[in-house]
């Protein structure tokens, strides 16, 4: 998982996606906008195939898989999404803003979701940072992935 040093603030529903793309040096094409909307509308990380299906389901016709792959690459390079590689070696994409923090991956279905960024999570991360410091380690670009079993796979 890659991160730029300055994460964007969490995306708000009222942000104009086209303006956001242009502000990051991207052209606001129909394909890029459909892919970006799909990522921003998901609470978990999506594979390129899931993004493709999401675009089709939202009525964005004329968009093929190649367009989706290229748009995901460009969005990741521009820092508008993060690519996360799961234990199944599959790349999944999360809109930036949802990915700033620890992630949970289901070891069974490989669904990846952000762990709630609440007081308890932040406190646990601070404790982890202090532990690293005691060991003389620094991790300014730490990526934390917790693996377990999701609700769907448990039932
Ligand atoms: Zn699962």
């Amino acid at each position: 998982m890659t991160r730029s040093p300055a994460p964007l603030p969490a995306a708000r529903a009222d942000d104009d996606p086209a303006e956001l793309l242009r502000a990051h040096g991207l052209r606001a094409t129909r394909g890029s906008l459909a892919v970006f909307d799909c990522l921003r509308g998901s609470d978990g990380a999506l594979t390129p195939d899931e993004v493709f299906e999401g675009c089709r389901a939202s009525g964005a016709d004329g968009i093929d898989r190649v367009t989706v792959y290229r748009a995901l690459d460009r969005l990741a390079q521009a820092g508008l999404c993060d690519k996360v590689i799961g234990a199944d070696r599959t790349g999944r994409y999360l809109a930036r803003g949802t990915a700033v923090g620890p992630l949970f991956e289901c070891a069974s279905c490989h669904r990846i979701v952000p762990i709630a960024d609440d007081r308890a999570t932040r406190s646990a991360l601070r404790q982890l940072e202090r532990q690293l410091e005691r060991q003389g380690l620094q991790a300014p670009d730490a990526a934390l992935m917790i693996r377990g079993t999701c609700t769907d796979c448990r039932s």
Side-chain angles (χ1 to χ4, degrees):
M1 167 170 183
T2 56
R3 282 197 185 145
S4 72
L8 296 173
R12 295 193 323 266
D14 59 347
D15 287 337
D16 178 359
E19 280 306 313
L20 216 44
L21 292 187
R22 284 191 280 266
H24 286 79
L26 300 177
R27 284 173 46 225
T29 61
R30 210 160 45 95
S32 302
L33 282 171
V35 167
F36 192 41
D37 278 350
C38 185
L39 290 180
R40 296 203 328 159
S42 172
D43 61 351
L46 299 174
T47 64
D49 277 349
E50 289 167 337
V51 172
F52 176 68
E53 293 305 326
C55 288
R56 284 173 45 142
S58 68
D61 44 284
I63 291 172
D64 57 18
R65 284 188 157 80
V66 174
T67 304
V68 168
Y69 274 99
R70 286 185 183 146
L72 287 170
D73 272 348
R74 283 194 293 265
L75 290 169
Q77 279 174 13
L80 287 167
C81 73
D82 285 301
K83 184 177 184 180
V84 185
I85 308 287
D88 60 351
R89 311 310 302 158
T90 300
R92 290 177 174 79
Y93 294 83
L94 270 168
R96 182 58 65 87
T98 54
V100 183
L103 300 170
F104 176 91
E105 177 181 8
C106 176
S108 181
C109 69
H110 299 289
R111 180 174 149 72
I112 296 174
V113 293
I115 295 172
D117 181 28
D118 62 8
R119 225 174 115 197
T121 303
R122 284 192 293 271
S123 167
L125 289 174
R126 276 196 303 274
Q127 286 181 42
L128 192 56
E129 272 173 33
R130 282 197 292 271
Q131 181 57 41
L132 289 170
E133 279 171 25
R134 280 194 289 273
Q135 292 182 233
L137 304 169
Q138 289 183 326
D141 195 25
L144 191 61
M145 177 79 83
I146 307 288
R147 294 207 168 86
T149 308
C150 78
T151 315
D152 289 346
C153 291
R154 254 198 343 253
S155 57

